[in-house]
């Protein structure tokens, strides 16, 4: 068997190492939210078309927790919509020099909060049944900063092209590896975070965090640098989101913004492991195509191709509502991933043109 066959199998095995124990939390202790002082903070900029599901999912908690929506100078009806639900709407003061938009919005929400426990939710998230109770309960197990990557709910085939982005985000967390109990979690997911108010004030307002587009990654780094342990889990059965329902263009800009910046922020060892794993689909495709074109033995190339497809499906079904067709058609997803990454690299680092929601980032 040729050397590149063995290398491709090795790249696939790295994936099993990185997500060896990937599964959602099953047993979560029941709690009463009224027994704790909790503030939920939602930063929102031009989210009028997307924030409805979250606002609806928060209705059962209106009398149990403080809910603050930070309307980050939206150009649509985000603020008035949130007010119509009876939630407290905060409009940030003028953003200081050196601060990025989201970190400043979060800071402005915290400055108005009364709770000892802060739950940050992105505007495109949705709490599932008893979701907030589950989130706070997991936090209270250790009271260390805690983040969740929401379960990705998608409705179109275009949205499902995002499978590699979804899987890589979870891989980068270092949370589900073969040696998860011996390794320090590295990534701190942005869409859902929980921490004590004091931990936020001590670590999240550092310039190394507030000046970053991907403040979640650098917040995790800030915690770790100062000896503060972090935890992260996937959000299946707890919290979900639909990331880019507007279609291809928003996916291109959104994923591009995150990954072109995030690729240089996760650390060398993780970057190498992730790079080797993401090489596996391209190597598998190449092996199969070469065998077909040269009319060589197709058994082993087909086996390698489908082993990777099955692996990708097993991972992705825990992270989002991806379907079994991924096993056969993952080359389409691989092409999309490569296109987004190359496009974003040139847009951000060559042409210096990177904006999101009408604001340069």
């Amino acid at each position: 068997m040729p050397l590149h066959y063995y290398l491709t199998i090795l790249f696939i095995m790295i994936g099993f190492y990185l997500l060896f124990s990937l599964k959602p939390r099953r047993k979560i202790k029941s709690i009463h939210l009224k027994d704790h002082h909790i503030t939920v903070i939602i930063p929102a900029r031009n989210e009028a078309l997307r924030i409805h599901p979250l606002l609806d999912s928060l209705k059962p908690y209106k009398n149990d927790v403080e809910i603050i929506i930070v309307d980050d100078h939206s150009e649509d009806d985000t603020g008035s919509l949130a007010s119509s639900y009876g939630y407290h709407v905060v409009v940030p003061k003028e953003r200081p020099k050196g601060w990025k938009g989201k970190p400043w919005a979060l800071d402005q929400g915290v400055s108005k909060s009364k709770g000892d426990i802060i739950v940050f939710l992105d505007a495109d998230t949705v709490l599932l049944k008893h979701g907030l109770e589950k989130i706070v309960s997991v936090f209270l197990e250790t009271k260390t900063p805690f983040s969740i990557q929401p379960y990705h709910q998608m409705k179109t085939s275009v949205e499902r092209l995002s499978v590699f982005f979804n899987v890589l985000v979870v891989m980068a967390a270092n949370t589900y590896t073969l040696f998860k109990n011996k390794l320090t979690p590295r990534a701190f997911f942005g869409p859902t975070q929980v921490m004590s108010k004091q931990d936020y004030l001590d670590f999240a307002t550092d310039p190394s965090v507030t000046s970053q587009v991907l403040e979640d990654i650098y917040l995790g780094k800030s915690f770790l640098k100062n000896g503060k342990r972090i935890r992260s889990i996937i959000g299946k059965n707890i919290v979900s989101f639909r990331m880019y329902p507007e279609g291809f263009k928003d996916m291109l800009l959104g994923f591009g913004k995150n990954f072109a910046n995030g690729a240089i922020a996760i650390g060398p060892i993780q970057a190498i492991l992730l790079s080797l794993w993401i090489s596996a689909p391209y190597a598998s495709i190449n092996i199969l195509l070469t065998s077909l074109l040269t009319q060589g033995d197709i058994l082993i190339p087909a086996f390698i191709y489908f082993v990777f497809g099955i692996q990708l499906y097993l991972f992705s079904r825990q992270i989002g509502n991806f379907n079994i067709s991924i096993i056969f058609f993952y080359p389409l997803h691989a092409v999309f991933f490569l296109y987004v990454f190359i496009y974003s690299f040139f847009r951000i680092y060559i042409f210096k043109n990177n904006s999101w929601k009408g604001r340069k980032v």
Side-chain angles (χ1 to χ4, degrees):
M1 193 164 64
L3 176 60
H4 61 285
Y5 284 28
Y6 288 107
L7 289 175
T8 303
I9 293 170
L10 173 62
F11 298 161
I12 294 172
M13 294 305 296
I14 288 173
F16 285 119
Y17 162 76
L18 289 169
L19 294 182
F20 177 80
S21 59
L22 180 64
K23 59 183 178 181
R25 284 287 299 261
R26 298 295 184 190
K27 296 181 180 179
I28 299 178
K29 184 179 179 181
S30 178
I31 64 166
H32 296 291
L33 294 175
K34 286 185 176 180
D35 295 339
H36 308 277
H37 298 96
I38 301 164
T39 298
V40 177
I41 297 175
I42 301 104
R45 177 174 169 81
N46 298 334
E47 298 285 0
L49 297 178
R50 307 202 318 173
I51 200 172
H52 278 278
L54 174 58
L55 299 180
D56 287 335
S57 71
L58 284 167
K59 282 181 178 179
Y61 305 111
K62 285 182 67 173
N63 298 322
D64 298 333
V65 303
E66 179 184 37
I67 300 172
I68 297 175
I69 287 79
V70 184
D71 178 19
D72 188 10
H73 303 285
S74 298
E75 298 167 345
D76 60 12
D77 296 327
T78 298
S80 58
L81 176 61
S83 294
S84 71
Y85 279 79
Y87 301 135
H88 182 193
V89 176
V90 171
V91 177
K93 299 176 183 176
E94 184 177 351
R95 179 158 50 105
K97 184 178 180 180
W99 283 69
K100 294 297 183 182
K102 185 178 177 182
W104 180 239
L106 298 177
D107 185 80
Q108 291 292 282
V110 172
S111 70
K112 303 295 183 181
S113 67
K114 300 175 182 176
D116 300 322
I117 298 173
I118 306 295
V119 179
F120 295 116
L121 296 172
D122 275 4
D124 56 1
T125 59
V126 180
L127 293 169
L128 304 181
K129 187 177 181 180
H130 303 304
L132 189 56
E133 293 93 333
K134 293 176 181 178
I135 290 170
V136 175
S137 179
V138 175
F139 167 75
L140 291 173
E141 291 172 355
T142 61
K143 296 186 179 180
T144 57
F146 166 59
S147 72
I148 303 176
Q149 179 66 6
Y151 185 79
H152 195 178
Q153 289 282 2
M154 296 155 285
K155 296 183 179 180
T156 68
S157 297
V158 171
E159 290 176 82
R160 290 187 174 88
L161 289 173
S162 65
V163 63
F164 284 108
F165 296 98
N166 282 266
V167 173
L168 283 168
V169 164
V170 178
M171 282 183 169
N174 215 25
T175 299
Y176 294 103
T177 69
L178 181 61
F179 305 111
K180 67 174 185 176
N181 294 327
K182 297 182 179 180
L183 297 176
T184 301
R186 306 305 304 180
F188 202 61
F189 301 131
T192 305
Q193 300 177 350
V194 196
M195 64 196 74
S196 70
K197 186 174 184 177
Q198 192 58 54
D199 278 344
Y200 173 87
L201 296 173
D202 288 344
F203 302 108
T205 56
D206 188 278
S208 67
V209 178
T210 61
S211 62
Q212 299 296 330
V213 174
L214 300 183
E215 83 296 330
D216 50 322
I217 291 178
Y218 289 91
L219 177 55
K221 286 176 173 284
S222 178
F223 285 135
L224 294 171
K225 181 179 67 175
N226 290 282
K228 194 79 177 179
R229 187 171 176 81
I230 59 176
R231 293 194 300 156
S232 298
I233 65 171
I234 55 173
K236 191 174 184 180
N237 305 320
I238 301 175
V239 60
S240 68
F241 63 178
R242 188 181 177 198
M243 293 186 72
Y244 304 115
E246 291 85 355
F248 183 84
K249 183 178 179 181
D250 266 18
M251 287 177 63
L252 184 62
L253 296 177
F255 282 126
K257 167 181 67 73
N258 291 337
F259 275 79
N261 287 282
I264 61 173
I266 60 174
I269 295 178
Q270 283 172 290
I272 290 171
L273 291 175
L274 295 183
S275 297
L276 292 176
W277 179 78
I278 198 60
S279 299
Y282 303 101
S284 300
I285 295 165
N286 178 64
I287 287 171
L288 182 60
L289 287 178
T290 300
S291 177
L292 291 171
L293 291 173
T294 60
Q295 297 183 337
D297 182 9
I298 197 173
L299 184 61
I300 295 178
F303 174 77
I304 293 173
Y305 179 92
F306 284 111
V307 165
F308 181 82
I310 292 168
Q311 179 194 64
L312 185 63
Y313 172 65
L314 292 175
F315 292 161
S316 64
R317 70 175 184 171
Q318 300 295 343
I319 300 170
N321 64 329
F322 296 95
N323 56 50
I324 199 168
S325 65
I326 280 178
I327 295 174
F328 306 95
F329 300 114
Y330 67 81
L332 297 176
H333 303 264
V335 169
F336 176 73
F337 175 85
L338 190 61
Y339 174 75
V340 171
F341 204 94
I342 293 173
Y343 170 85
S344 303
F345 178 84
F346 277 90
R347 187 167 183 263
I348 294 172
Y349 297 109
I350 305 300
F351 299 111
K352 308 292 184 181
N353 178 25
N354 188 28
S355 61
W356 180 245
K357 295 186 184 296
R359 176 182 285 165
K360 187 173 182 180
V361 295

